[in-house]
Amino acid sequence: MPRSFLCFLAILLINITSVFAQSTGAISGQIKMVDGQPFASASISLVELNKSTLTDEKGNYSFKNLPPSTYHIKIQVLGAAQKDIEVTVVSGQIATADYQLPEENVMALQEVTVSGNVNRFSKKESKYVARLPLKNLENPQVYNTVPKELILEQSAVDLGSISKNVPGAGIPMIANQGRVTFRSRGFETEPNARNGVAGAAFSSIDPVNLERVEAIKGPSATLFGASISSSYGGVYNRVTKKPYNDFGGEVSYFGGSWNYNRLTADVNTPVNEDKTALFRLNAATTNQKSFQDLGFTNNISIAPSFSYQITDRLSLLLDVEFGSEKGTSVVRFNPYNKGTKIWSIEDIAFPYERTFMSNDLIYQTQMLNIFGQINYKISDQWTSQTIFSRARSTINGYITAINGVSDTTARVQVITGNTNFIATDIQQNFIGDFKIGNFRNRMVVGLDYYNNSNDFDRITVNTATFDFTNPPANSGATQQIVDTMAEAGTGTLRKEKNSDNTYAAYVSDVFNFTDKLSAMASLRVDRYQYMGVYNIATGVTAGGLGANGTSAGPYNQTSLSQKMGIVYELSKDHLSVFSNYINGFLNKSGQALDGTAFKPEHANQLEFGVKGDVFNHRLVGTVSYYDIQVANSLRQDPNDANYSIQDGTQVSRGVEIELTANPFEGFNVIAGYAYNDSEYTKADTSVNGLRPALSGPANTVNVWMSYRLAEGKLKGLGAGFGGNYGSMSYQTNTQTTKITIPEYTMLDAALYYDQPKYRISFKVNNITSEKAWSVRLTPQAPAQFIGGFALKF
C-alpha cells in the first residue's frame, strides 16, 4: 500500500476524531455536605441515558462524550431527599452541575471521607454508634474514635497500640492466642463488634484494614445486644476500610527490634467503566520474635472488600477478613495467693524476660469473618438496611499459663487440642428521618438473630513444679513433656459442644422538640435460648456447670433493656449538654438453693456531661461523669458454699475527659483522662467493699502531640511525642491477699516524612524501657524501634 495513502487515512482519522470530540460535550460536578466538605460515594445518575456513577473522595463526578441536549442529573443519597438538576450540554463544552446537601446527618448512613479537616485526629461522626443519622453533639452517649490518620502517624501496627489513644483503656491484655482485651469503665471489653454488628475473633486481629476504632462507652445492649456488648464498660467497634471511586493504594514495609518484619498492601480499583462497582484489597504479613528469651509470632491477614451501586436506590457491600497466625503464648502469671500478704509483682521477683516455655509449644489460629450489607432507599424518609455477619475462629495447638504453687515456685499449665468458635448475626433495620407535624424524628426499627456455637476437644495438663526465683536448667514446659502427659491421661479432658440462639427486636427514636433540644428513647426485647452442652464422651446434653456447681440444663431467658437520653445544644453545632440512662444485661444459668432459677444480670448507667466543637473545629472534646450499678450478680450463698445467690451488686463511678485540638496550623493534640472508682457493694465477704481485681488502674492518662510542616521545601515532615500513665492496680484484691501492679509511665516518639508518592517513618515505643504489666501480669516490651517505608500509587 502506497505510503501516501496511509498518510491520507491517518489524517482522515484524526479529523474525524476531532470533529466527533467537538460534536459532544460533558457534565461534571461536585457534591458537598451541609458543612461544605466533599461527599464521597453519592449515587449520580444521568436519567436520559440510564448511566450511573459514584462521586470520588473529593465529591467529584463526570459524564463524558455526551451529544448536545438537555439532561437531568439525579442525585441519590441515603437519608436525604432526591435532587434533580437540569443541565444543558453544548458541543465542545463541559456543563457544571454542583450541589450542596441542605440537610444534616445524611452521611451517617454511608461511608464518607472527609478531607481538609484542620483537626485531623477528630473524626467523631459515626453511623454505627446510634444506628441513626446523628451527630456527635446530638448523641447522648459518649464514644471515642481513633482514626486512621492517628494510627498511621503512630505506626500503630496492632490493636493494643491503637487502644493507647482511648481514655481508660489501660495496658491491653493479650490472651494466649493473640486475642486482645481492654479496660472500659472498670470492666473488661473486647473488640467484638465489626461495622456495628457481631464480629468476634478469638485470635489476633490485624489492623491493616481498619478505617478507625470506635470505643462506645457504657452498657450498650439496647442497640448491640449481649452477644457483642459483653461488657458493661462498652463496645469496641472496628470500622473497616471501604472501596472508593478511584484507582490507588500503597505498599509498605516495617522493620524493627527483635527481628520485627511487616509487609502491607492496600490496592483499590473501580471494576466497571461507570465506577459503580468497586474493589479494595488490604493485606499484611508480620513476623516477630519476643523480647524475652523465647517466643515468636508469624501471621498473615487478607481483607478484600467489594461495593456495588446496583441502582440509584440499591447498593451492596461485601467485606471479608481472613487471618492466620502461628506463634507461642505470651506469659500469663498467676501468683500464689493463699495466706495473708500484700505485695507487688516487683516483690515477687518473677523473671521479667523468662517465659519458662519452649518454641515448640505452638498455637495456630485461623479467623474468617464475612460481612455483607444491602442498603435500599425506600423513600426520601426511609432506608432499609439488611446485614449478614459470620465469624469463625479456630485454635489448634498449645495454650499456656504459669500458676504459682508457693511464694517462690510455680508450674506450667498447658491446654492442648482444638477449639472452634462460630457466630452468625442477621439483622434487618429500617432507618427513618421524618417529621410529625413540625417535630423531627429519627428512628431505627430492627430485628436481630444471633447464633453462637462452640466446640472443644482439648486436654489440660500441669507440668512439674520449679523454683522461678532460682530456676534450674530446662525448667518449665516443652512439647515432649506435655504430649507425654496428655497421652498418659494425666490431664483433664474437655470434649464438648455448646450453642445458643438469640432473637431480638429493638426500636430507637430521637425526637426533636426544638432545633436544639432532643430526646432519645430506645427499647430492646431479647429472647435467649441456651441449647446446653453436649458431652461427646458421654453422649449426654446438659447445661454444663451451673452457678451452684451442678448441671443446669438448657434454659431460656427473656430480657428487656432500655436507653434514654436528652441533649440540649447551648450553642447549635458547637456546645451541648447531655444525660443518659442506659441498660445492659448478661444471661445467667443455674439456680439457687431453693430451686429459684437465676435471672439475667443487669447493669444500669446514669451519665451526664458536656460535648464541644468550637473555634471552627479546632477544639473538640467531651467531659462526662457516669455511675454504673450492676445488679443480680451471683455471689456465694453464705448458708451453703456449694450454691450461689443472686443479690450481689457492684458499682463503677468515674469521670472521663477527651480532647482533640489544633491550636495552630500543623500542630495537633489528642489527650484523655479517666478516673474510675469501682467497688463490690454486696458480695462475698472476701471481696466486699473492695475494688475488683481486674478493673485496671483507677487513674489513666493518654496524650499525643504532633507537628507537621504544612509548607516549604520540607512540607510533610512531622514529629510526634506522647505517652500513657496508669496508677497502681490489682491482680488479686481480697481482704487477706493483695497482689498489686505498680504505676507506669510509658513514652513514645515518632518522626516521619510524608509525600504524595512515598512515606518514611521512624517510631520508638516505650523510650525509657519502663517495666509494666497487664492485668494478667504479662510483661510489656522495653524500648522498641520500628522503621517504615511506603510507596503510594
Side-chain angles (χ1 to χ4, degrees), residues 6-273:
L6 291 176
C7 292
F8 170 76
L9 288 179
I11 294 171
L12 181 62
L13 181 61
I14 292 172
N15 288 333
I16 293 174
T17 303
S18 177
V19 169
F20 179 77
Q22 292 178 4
S23 66
T24 62
I27 299 174
S28 68
Q30 184 183 41
I31 309 301
K32 296 181 180 180
M33 294 185 288
V34 66
D35 60 358
Q37 297 294 334
F39 197 110
S41 298
S43 175
I44 312 297
S45 300
L46 189 60
V47 176
E48 284 74 13
L49 298 182
N50 196 27
K51 286 187 174 183
S52 297
T53 189
L54 296 173
T55 55
D56 62 20
E57 290 187 292
K58 296 181 180 179
N60 296 322
Y61 72 93
S62 65
F63 295 100
K64 299 179 180 179
N65 298 323
L66 303 177
S69 184
T70 297
Y71 297 94
H72 290 85
I73 297 293
K74 183 166 65 174
I75 302 171
Q76 291 271 30
V77 174
L78 294 177
Q82 176 181 311
K83 178 65 177 178
D84 295 295
I85 302 175
E86 186 175 278
V87 185
T88 300
V89 173
V90 179
S91 298
Q93 296 183 17
I94 299 176
T96 302
D98 296 334
Y99 182 62
Q100 184 167 350
L101 295 164
E103 299 292 336
E104 298 175 339
N105 305 324
V106 291
M107 74 285 208
L109 293 179
Q110 61 189 65
E111 288 298 324
V112 176
T113 301
V114 180
S115 59
N117 192 341
V118 293
N119 195 345
R120 354 185 241 114
F121 297 155
S122 178
K123 308 288 185 180
K124 296 295 290 187
E125 309 311 331
S126 169
K127 68 177 183 177
Y128 303 106
V129 177
R131 299 191 186 276
L132 287 171
L134 204 62
K135 295 185 301 183
N136 175 48
L137 290 182
E138 297 176 299
N139 196 328
Q141 189 166 9
V142 173
Y143 59 97
N144 313 122
T145 60
V146 184
K148 62 181 179 182
E149 290 82 359
L150 186 56
I151 296 172
L152 179 64
E153 180 169 297
Q154 293 182 343
S155 295
V157 292
D158 56 74
L159 282 178
S161 299
I162 294 172
S163 72
K164 290 180 179 181
N165 302 287
V166 176
I171 294 176
M173 184 189 78
I174 307 298
N176 292 316
Q177 62 275 18
R179 194 180 66 205
V180 62
T181 302
F182 315 109
R183 309 298 105 182
S184 183
R185 299 190 169 180
F187 301 94
E188 291 187 6
T189 307
E190 297 186 19
N192 281 346
R194 175 167 170 262
N195 295 326
V197 297
F202 292 87
S203 59
S204 64
I205 302 172
D206 197 289
V208 67
N209 67 325
L210 286 187
E211 181 74 21
R212 65 183 179 274
V213 171
E214 299 174 342
I216 306 168
K217 297 302 185 72
S220 300
T222 306
L223 291 180
F224 293 94
S227 59
I228 58 176
S229 181
S230 57
S231 166
Y232 299 134
V235 171
Y236 269 76
N237 181 40
R238 311 184 325 265
V239 180
T240 60
K241 296 176 181 177
K242 308 300 189 299
Y244 55 91
N245 186 9
D246 202 358
F247 176 79
E250 71 173 50
V251 293
S252 64
Y253 168 77
F254 296 89
S257 306
W258 311 301
N259 198 28
Y260 183 88
N261 292 277
R262 176 176 172 83
L263 184 65
T264 72
D266 181 357
V267 180
N268 186 90
T269 182
V271 176
N272 60 357
E273 184 178 356

Side-chain angles (χ1 to χ4, degrees), residues 268-535:
N268 186 90
T269 182
V271 176
N272 60 357
E273 184 178 356
D274 292 335
K275 298 184 177 181
T276 54
L278 311 172
F279 178 77
R280 188 170 187 174
L281 177 65
N282 286 274
T285 181
T286 304
N287 301 312
Q288 62 179 321
K289 292 183 178 179
S290 170
F291 74 92
Q292 296 175 301
D293 58 343
L294 293 170
F296 72 93
T297 56
N298 300 327
N299 61 53
I300 185 171
S301 176
I302 302 173
S305 57
F306 172 77
S307 69
Y308 183 31
Q309 190 73 33
I310 303 172
T311 69
D312 55 0
R313 291 179 176 269
L314 180 65
S315 64
L316 166 70
L317 173 66
L318 180 63
D319 195 301
V320 177
E321 289 178 323
F322 172 81
S324 179
E325 180 168 285
K326 177 180 180 181
T328 55
S329 296
V330 299
V331 169
R332 176 187 177 186
F333 180 48
N334 300 307
Y336 183 69
N337 59 9
K338 307 298 182 182
T340 302
K341 62 188 73 176
I342 300 176
W343 57 357
S344 167
I345 179 60
E346 291 182 308
D347 301 328
I348 296 176
F350 187 89
Y352 197 81
E353 297 187 354
R354 290 289 301 272
T355 65
F356 297 106
M357 312 289 178
S358 64
N359 278 349
D360 57 8
L361 286 175
I362 298 170
Y363 69 79
Q364 292 181 302
T365 63
Q366 188 177 98
M367 173 193 73
L368 178 63
N369 288 346
I370 301 173
F371 174 89
Q373 177 174 311
I374 298 175
N375 287 335
Y376 180 70
K377 186 172 181 178
I378 301 173
S379 67
D380 290 345
Q381 291 79 34
W382 287 94
T383 298
S384 168
Q385 183 187 75
T386 305
I387 300 174
F388 170 82
S389 176
R390 187 171 177 85
R392 184 181 189 276
S393 297
T394 300
I395 306 168
N396 288 293
Y398 303 87
I399 301 172
T400 64
I402 302 174
N403 297 324
V405 178
S406 71
D407 291 350
T408 59
T409 61
R411 62 186 181 186
V412 179
Q413 181 184 78
V414 183
I415 300 174
T416 177
N418 173 269
T419 308
N420 292 284
F421 304 92
I422 302 176
T424 304
D425 196 355
I426 301 174
Q427 280 187 14
Q428 175 59 55
N429 297 309
F430 295 98
I431 303 169
D433 189 345
F434 57 93
K435 286 187 176 182
I436 300 178
N438 294 323
F439 301 103
R440 184 183 185 188
N441 285 264
R442 280 161 287 182
M443 177 182 288
V444 57
V445 180
L447 298 173
D448 191 4
Y449 167 74
Y450 179 80
N451 170 265
N452 178 71
S453 61
N454 313 310
D455 63 80
F456 304 85
D457 184 4
R458 62 195 199 187
I459 189 170
T460 301
V461 300
N462 292 286
T463 62
T465 300
F466 61 91
D467 185 344
F468 59 77
T469 62
N470 187 25
N474 301 321
S475 56
T478 65
Q479 184 183 27
Q480 182 179 4
I481 293 174
V482 173
D483 288 350
T484 300
M485 296 180 69
E487 290 171 3
T490 58
T492 302
L493 179 66
R494 185 180 184 185
K495 201 176 184 71
E496 65 186 34
K497 295 181 179 181
N498 64 71
S499 64
D500 55 77
N501 294 305
T502 302
Y503 305 87
Y506 49 88
V507 60
S508 180
D509 181 68
V510 175
F511 183 85
N512 277 85
F513 295 97
T514 69
D515 189 41
K516 294 184 177 181
L517 178 63
S518 63
M520 172 185 284
S522 311
L523 181 66
R524 181 188 188 97
V525 57
D526 206 277
R527 180 63 173 175
Y528 178 75
Q529 296 180 341
Y530 184 62
M531 310 305 291
V533 176
Y534 174 69
N535 190 313

Side-chain angles (χ1 to χ4, degrees), residues 666-679:
F667 184 61
N668 287 270
V669 180
I670 181 169
Y673 168 72
Y675 168 71
N676 174 258
D677 179 19
S678 291
E679 179 185 6

Side-chain angles (χ1 to χ4, degrees), residues 568-726:
Y568 180 70
E569 295 189 60
L570 299 172
S571 176
K572 182 64 177 175
D573 297 326
H574 297 297
L575 187 66
S576 66
V577 292
F578 68 92
S579 179
N580 66 59
Y581 175 78
I582 304 176
N583 177 270
F585 63 91
L586 285 176
N587 295 287
K588 294 292 181 180
S589 64
Q591 60 187 23
L593 179 61
D594 62 2
T596 303
F598 293 133
K599 299 177 293 185
E601 184 178 273
H602 275 267
N604 298 305
Q605 173 183 276
L606 179 63
E607 182 177 22
F608 57 86
V610 179
K611 294 184 179 183
D613 188 337
V614 296
F615 306 124
N616 194 27
H617 202 62
R618 290 188 179 274
L619 179 61
V620 180
T622 303
V623 179
S624 68
Y625 170 81
Y626 62 87
D627 186 315
I628 301 174
Q629 305 275 342
V630 181
N632 293 338
S633 295
L634 300 182
R635 66 185 182 96
Q636 188 179 71
D637 190 330
N639 299 316
D640 191 330
N642 295 317
Y643 283 83
S644 295
I645 58 176
Q646 193 175 34
D647 67 350
T649 57
Q650 179 184 342
V651 299
S652 177
R653 303 184 179 97
V655 174
E656 288 183 344
I657 302 172
E658 183 199 32
L659 297 173
T660 59
N662 175 225
F664 53 87
E665 187 176 11
F667 184 61
N668 287 270
V669 180
I670 181 169
Y673 168 72
Y675 168 71
N676 174 258
D677 179 19
S678 291
E679 179 185 6
Y680 289 118
T681 53
K682 192 173 184 180
D684 183 82
T685 55
S686 64
V687 297
N688 194 52
L690 301 179
R691 182 176 179 84
L694 301 181
S695 55
N699 293 276
T700 60
V701 177
N702 64 280
V703 62
W704 182 260
M705 301 175 290
S706 73
Y707 179 71
R708 181 175 63 177
L709 295 175
E711 55 185 18
K713 293 183 178 180
L714 295 178
K715 178 181 178 181
L717 179 64
F721 177 78
N724 295 77
Y725 165 81

